[in-house]
């Protein structure tokens, strides 16, 4: 369906009935794909970062955990096709099942529904060596061909950067908003702004920013040590006019939960403000 974008000279009644409607370039194309008929997803939230290794997957899973703790249903669409880490965080090593109607997501112990390329590979350590368009196609299929069932919040763990996959997700899925994840040293660059502007240019609301690896709390005296330098998150958030959704310290309990494949037990207490924004 084409979205109407009225311009000067357009008839007041809109495109319907206009003799130029079929050739008019002022109509914006809508590339959104339909969800699988067995999906009832209420909100789609993208989790993005300007660069890799800032803890984006950890934040994605923490957001899902938080909404589950609040009594919602949640799913994670792992769009990080070449570096999928979500299933392992939950100790899921089986293959996803499917039938002629579509694929079924795997379900973690806490009820989080998960779809990832690692759940489709015969051996999970097989590398995915696919070109961009194939990867983007697989991500789209995770929306059109996966029977998500009832999901209040579907979090999309994006690969880092502003490449093919975020572009495809923003165009093909009905994304309600994005959360940007960054780390203190990342903030000093323009990388966060690139992620922000990409979402903005595609009319996707930016819900806020999460700073990970913000500080380390000394186990003896409790002093906060800013390992990666002084946080500038407040400044950047103000400049971009978006809320700060949380500052997550370097917390060995989070590393243990990821390495121990027990993320279904994590309570990330640093993201309370994010929940408030997601619930609006
Ligand atoms: N706040 C934290 N405290 C302790 N460990 C953390 C924290 N955040 C992330 N980690 C650890 O850092 C590693 C990288 O995190 P994660 O996989 O979430 O990053 P990513 O940004 O998704 O990476 P990629 O860019 O490769 O997709 C993981 O081992 C994770 O357990």
């Amino acid at each position: 369906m084409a979205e109407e974008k009225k311009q000067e000279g357009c008839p007041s009644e809109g495109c319907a009935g206009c003799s130029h409607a079929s050739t008019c370039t002022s109509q914006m194309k809508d590339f959104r794909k339909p969800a699988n008929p067995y999906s009832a997803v209420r909100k789609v939230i993208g989790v993005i970062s300007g660069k890799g290794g800032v803890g984006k997957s950890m934040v994605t899973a923490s957001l899902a955990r938080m909404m589950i703790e609040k009594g919602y249903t949640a799913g994670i669409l792992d769009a990080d096709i070449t570096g999928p880490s979500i299933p392992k965080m939950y100790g899921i090593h089986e293959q996803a099942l499917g039938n002629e109607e579509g694929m079924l997501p795997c379900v973690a112990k806490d009820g989080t529904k998960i779809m990832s390329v690692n759940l489709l590979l015969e051996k999970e350590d097989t590398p995915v060596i696919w070109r961009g368009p194939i990867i983007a196609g697989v991500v789209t299929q995770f929306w059109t061909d996966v029977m998500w069932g009832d999901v209040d919040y579907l979090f999309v763990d994006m690969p880092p950067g502003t490449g093919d996959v975020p572009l495809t997700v923003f165009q093909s899925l009905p994304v309600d908003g994005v959360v940007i994840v960054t780390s203190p040293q990342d903030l000093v660059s323009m990388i966060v702004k690139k992620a922000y502007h990409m979402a903005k240019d595609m009319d996707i609301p930016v819900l806020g920013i999460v700073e990970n690896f913000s500080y380390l709390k000394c186990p003896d005296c409790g002093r906060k040590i800013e390992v990666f330098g002084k946080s500038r998150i407040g400044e950047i958030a103000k400049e971009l006019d978006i809320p700060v959704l949380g500052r997550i310290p370097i917390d060995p309990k989070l590393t243990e939960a990821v390495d121990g494949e027990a993320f279904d037990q994590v309570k990330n207490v640093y993201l309370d403000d994010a929940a408030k924004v997601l619930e609006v």
Side-chain angles (χ1 to χ4, degrees):
M1 205 182 45
E3 191 182 310
E4 288 185 14
K5 191 182 180 192
K6 273 217 223 151
Q7 296 204 336
E8 224 177 289
C10 286
S12 56
E13 62 276 17
C15 303
C18 174
S19 56
H20 304 290
S22 60
T23 50
C24 182
T25 52
S26 67
Q27 290 184 89
M28 284 204 310
K29 269 229 154 55
D30 186 345
F31 294 101
R32 268 178 294 180
K33 299 276 192 281
N36 184 279
Y38 293 93
S39 297
V41 177
R42 275 169 278 282
K43 269 197 178 175
V44 178
I45 308 292
V47 183
I48 60 174
S49 68
K51 71 176 185 71
V54 296
K56 176 182 39 61
S57 302
M58 193 280 295
V59 171
T60 307
S62 295
L63 292 171
R65 282 284 312 127
M66 203 173 54
M67 298 325 277
I68 287 210
E69 293 249 306
K70 285 187 169 286
Y72 296 101
T73 50
I76 302 177
L77 188 162
D78 188 359
D80 198 348
I81 302 292
T82 55
S85 49
I86 297 289
K88 192 171 180 299
M89 289 169 72
Y90 288 87
I92 298 176
H93 299 279
E94 72 229 35
Q95 275 190 289
L97 301 173
N99 56 32
E100 55 287 351
E101 318 273 13
M103 293 178 279
L104 281 164
C106 288
V107 183
K109 284 192 202 116
D110 68 344
T112 309
K113 294 180 180 175
I114 296 168
M115 181 46 76
S116 166
V117 77
N118 255 18
L119 303 174
L120 305 175
L121 301 172
E122 231 163 76
K123 281 177 70 192
E124 61 181 12
D125 55 4
T126 306
V128 168
I129 313 171
W130 300 335
R131 299 245 183 230
I134 307 278
I135 291 177
V138 170
V139 172
T140 310
Q141 276 185 289
F142 283 177
W143 175 248
T144 56
D145 297 5
V146 172
M147 299 184 279
W148 286 102
D150 238 339
V151 171
D152 293 321
Y153 290 92
L154 181 67
F155 295 95
V156 183
D157 184 17
M158 305 272 204
T162 52
D164 257 1
V165 168
L167 186 62
T168 300
V169 170
F170 290 164
Q171 282 187 328
S172 313
L173 273 61
V175 181
D176 292 285
V178 294
V179 171
I180 301 178
V181 184
T182 185
S183 57
Q185 77 276 41
D186 191 13
L187 277 173
V188 295
S189 71
M190 71 301 174
I191 296 171
V192 166
K193 290 182 195 161
K194 280 191 197 285
Y196 169 86
H197 287 301
M198 180 184 197
K200 277 283 177 201
D201 286 353
M202 300 190 72
D203 280 334
I204 308 282
V206 177
L207 303 177
I209 187 163
V210 172
E211 185 181 68
N212 192 27
F213 303 126
S214 274
Y215 55 90
L216 176 73
K217 206 167 180 183
C218 172
D220 298 323
C221 67
R223 189 167 72 91
K224 287 181 181 177
I225 306 161
E226 293 186 306
V227 181
F228 295 114
K230 205 162 164 43
S231 171
R232 286 185 52 216
I233 192 158
E235 206 179 297
I236 301 272
K238 198 168 166 210
E239 191 186 331
L240 299 177
D241 196 21
I242 51 174
V244 175
L245 303 180
R247 288 187 68 205
I248 309 176
I250 299 170
D251 183 344
K253 282 204 200 96
L254 292 172
T255 328
E256 272 165 35
V258 171
D259 292 349
E261 307 190 0
F263 214 82
D264 52 275
Q265 289 161 34
V266 159
K267 236 187 166 143
N268 190 330
V269 292
Y270 312 105
L271 286 170
D272 279 351
D273 289 346
K276 286 178 209 143
V277 169
L278 294 179
E279 278 181 309
V280 171

